[in-house]
Amino acid sequence: MEFFNKVGKVALGSRLRLMTAIITDDAAKIYELYGMDFMPKWFPVFYTLTEDREITITEIANEIGHSQPSVSKIVQEMIVAGLVEESLKSNDKRRNIVGLTAQGIAFSKELKLQLKDVEAAVDGLIAESSTNLWAALEEWEFLLEQKTLLKRVNEQKKLRESQDVKITGYEPQYREAFRSLNIEWISTYFEMEEADYKALDNPEEYILNKDGKIFVALYKNEPVGVCALIKMNNSDYDFEMAKMAVSPKAQGKNIGFLLGQTIVNYAREQGAKKIYLESNTILKPAVNLYYKLGFQKVFGLPTPYKRCNIQMELVL
């Protein structure tokens, strides 16, 4: 226990495996206590077969959450032990049905008495504990089904790394970064178009001098992301969010979201009511980001870009 006290919650998997090993070791001794020649790992498959119905190895695997090869191996072991037989007669001759032998049925009746004692012992353990582990496991299983541990850790990684990201306003020193990051991103998925060159080659003339804004994301003082807010000559929209690009080497650090948030907050500070953007649905992470920022799909505005197949707006 000293190791787990030292390492803490990051050793969750190791600690659960240790508890599983302790309980499994006791389970084997419990079968011995009742004079039963039975392996603990057989129990989920065997118990499923006690329900006396036509069932295949694949169906057992799906029901108990094990792999088909794992269930097949356990069934073969129980066949050798004389508890299970396969290739039983079925209404559907194409199905390879598995079931208990006469010995297995007799064994299942003895097992029921043992299970009563085990359940009573576990109830006693729960009563002695300040935490109902069984209920907690159900809750954890539900929560991990909603969002896996992997996803939760990835979110924390992004949050930590995003603390090293600084969003700053455009300066002439970032002119080449604004251009090169966008060209890299656009060329990866599409072809550069005339409207791209107009904005990227002349950001001051096309964006900044027309009451627009460009923001730059710095990661450890290196420009790794950019995004522009372009003033629109449209009665419905104040600005267009455009030219968002993040370097591939800096993706996964929440930079796109931080840039988007900065753009939205700046537009709100300028008294804007609506922001417009154009994108393409093959860019699923980008489109998901826009939804996360609050944008919704709209239709019908003319666009200078051939690659545009989705238009979105954000009501501020």
Side-chain angles (χ1 to χ4, degrees):
M1 290 303 105
E2 184 180 344
F3 168 76
F4 293 116
N5 290 334
K6 186 194 301 181
V7 177
K9 298 178 183 68
V10 296
L12 174 65
S14 298
R15 189 158 191 174
L16 288 173
R17 279 194 294 273
L18 178 60
M19 178 174 281
T20 300
I22 292 169
I23 293 173
T24 301
D25 185 52
D26 264 358
K29 293 173 182 175
I30 290 168
Y31 288 120
E32 291 177 12
L33 178 66
Y34 287 78
M36 296 177 169
D37 185 14
F38 194 82
M39 297 180 67
K41 68 175 182 177
W42 294 353
F43 178 75
V45 176
F46 185 84
Y47 187 87
T48 303
L49 291 173
T50 63
E51 298 181 328
D52 192 27
R53 55 199 168 101
E54 291 188 354
I55 194 165
T56 67
I57 286 174
T58 300
E59 288 166 340
I60 294 171
N62 291 336
E63 193 160 316
I64 67 175
H66 286 202
S67 68
Q68 193 269 349
S70 170
V71 172
S72 181
K73 186 173 184 293
I74 288 171
V75 166
Q76 292 305 313
E77 290 173 357
M78 289 196 292
I79 288 173
V80 173
L83 299 173
V84 171
E85 56 186 333
E86 60 181 347
S87 301
L88 301 178
K89 290 183 179 179
S90 166
N91 295 329
D92 185 347
K93 295 180 180 179
R94 295 169 297 179
R95 302 172 82 223
N96 185 15
I97 302 301
V98 181
L100 299 180
T101 61
Q103 181 184 337
I105 293 170
F107 184 88
S108 70
K109 293 176 182 177
E110 296 177 31
L111 185 63
K112 286 179 182 177
L113 297 174
Q114 177 198 314
L115 295 182
K116 285 184 180 179
D117 296 343
V118 171
E119 186 168 6
V122 173
D123 283 339
L125 189 58
I126 290 173
E128 291 176 30
S129 172
S130 60
T131 302
N132 185 332
L133 180 60
W134 189 256
L137 284 171
E138 286 185 344
E139 186 176 12
W140 272 58
E141 286 165 352
F142 172 78
L143 292 172
L144 290 172
E145 189 175 313
Q146 305 309 303
K147 186 189 293 185
T148 66
L149 183 59
L150 172 62
K151 189 169 184 179
R152 292 168 188 270
V153 170
N154 191 39
E155 287 177 353
Q156 292 302 315
K157 178 176 180 287
K158 286 183 178 180
L159 183 62
R160 175 178 53 79
E161 292 181 337
S162 68
Q163 293 172 358
D164 292 325
V165 176
K166 178 185 176 184
I167 307 297
T168 186
Y170 176 89
E171 295 178 15
Q173 69 193 72
Y174 301 129
R175 194 170 198 262
E176 180 53 34
F178 179 65
R179 186 178 190 278
S180 60
L181 285 169
N182 266 286
I183 289 176
E184 179 182 28
W185 176 83
I186 295 168
S187 301
T188 299
Y189 300 98
F190 311 102
E191 292 181 357
M192 290 285 291
E193 300 181 43
E194 182 182 348
D196 292 313
Y197 289 111
K198 188 185 297 184
L200 298 178
D201 290 341
N202 305 285
E204 290 87 359
E205 178 186 344
Y206 187 74
I207 301 171
L208 300 173
N209 295 343
K210 296 180 178 179
D211 295 325
K213 190 77 174 178
I214 296 173
F215 289 98
V216 180
L218 304 176
Y219 181 66
K220 297 181 178 179
N221 294 319
E222 179 186 354
V224 293
V226 291
C227 190
L229 193 64
I230 301 174
K231 185 70 175 175
M232 291 185 70
N233 185 22
N234 185 290
S235 58
D236 291 326
Y237 299 102
D238 301 284
F239 292 102
E240 176 185 359
M241 187 167 85
K243 297 295 176 277
M244 180 185 284
V246 177
S247 170
K249 64 183 179 182
Q251 287 174 0
K253 293 178 173 54
N254 225 24
I255 290 174
F257 183 72
L258 293 173
L259 281 167
Q261 268 191 326
T262 303
I263 287 284
V264 170
N265 290 337
Y266 177 81
R268 188 177 282 117
E269 289 169 4
Q270 302 308 303
K273 302 300 182 185
K274 276 187 184 181
I275 303 175
Y276 170 78
L277 68 79
E278 298 180 339
S279 189
N280 189 290
T281 50
I282 69 166
L283 305 171
K284 290 183 180 179
V287 174
N288 288 337
L289 167 63
Y290 303 142
Y291 278 120
K292 188 177 177 182
L293 288 167
F295 284 85
Q296 298 296 323
K297 282 176 66 174
V298 291
F299 303 93
L301 270 73
T303 172
Y305 295 104
K306 291 185 290 184
R307 61 177 180 265
C308 171
N309 73 351
I310 182 172
Q311 298 171 315
M312 307 180 79
E313 70 174 18
L314 173 64
V315 179
L316 297 173

